[in-house]
Amino acid sequence: QVQLVESGGGLVQAGGSLRLSCAASGRTFSSYHMAWFRQAPGKEREFVAAISWSGSNTRYADSVKGRFTISRDNAKNTVYLQMNSLKPEDTAVYYCAADKGLLSNRVTGYSYWGQGTQVTVSS
């Protein structure tokens, strides 16, 4: 099993940047694919980005391509989401997720979830 704790959320003006971190417990972090999802009030949880266990493969939602970058440091058991050129529509609770199965952009593709961190982008 793996436990996930997100950090780095906050309030930022449109056009600004934030970097989210997700720290994982356990000694097998490097065997998990990792992903970020987000959920805005009244909306379903949606895919943001994913990275393979080795870091060699990444995927992004069309809405964040070119603005967000997912990365991981297996030595630190941490996955990151660098968010640039933030927009008010990026406002949501951001969740980190992990799974050993196929790299996926589906909520159902991940077995382990963090508690989330709030990102608010003001216009």
Side-chain angles (χ1 to χ4, degrees), residues 16-73:
S17 298
L18 281 175
R19 188 175 82 155
L20 305 183
S21 298
C22 173
S25 65
R27 294 175 291 179
T28 59
F29 173 76
S30 61
S31 63
Y32 286 85
H33 299 316
M34 302 296 297
W36 289 95
F37 288 78
R38 66 187 182 186
Q39 189 167 18
K43 295 187 177 181
E44 294 186 351
R45 194 167 297 189
E46 66 174 5
F47 172 74
V48 175
I51 188 167
S52 61
W53 64 270
S54 65
S56 60
N57 292 324
T58 57
R59 295 183 182 178
Y60 295 93
D62 288 343
S63 59
V64 306
K65 278 181 183 177
R67 300 189 298 122
F68 290 11
T69 302
I70 189 170
S71 62
R72 66 189 296 161
D73 185 338

Side-chain angles (χ1 to χ4, degrees), residues 97-112:
D99 202 90
K100 287 188 175 182
L102 297 176
L103 189 63
S104 174
N105 61 354
R106 297 184 176 185
V107 171
T108 54
Y110 294 87
S111 301
Y112 303 101

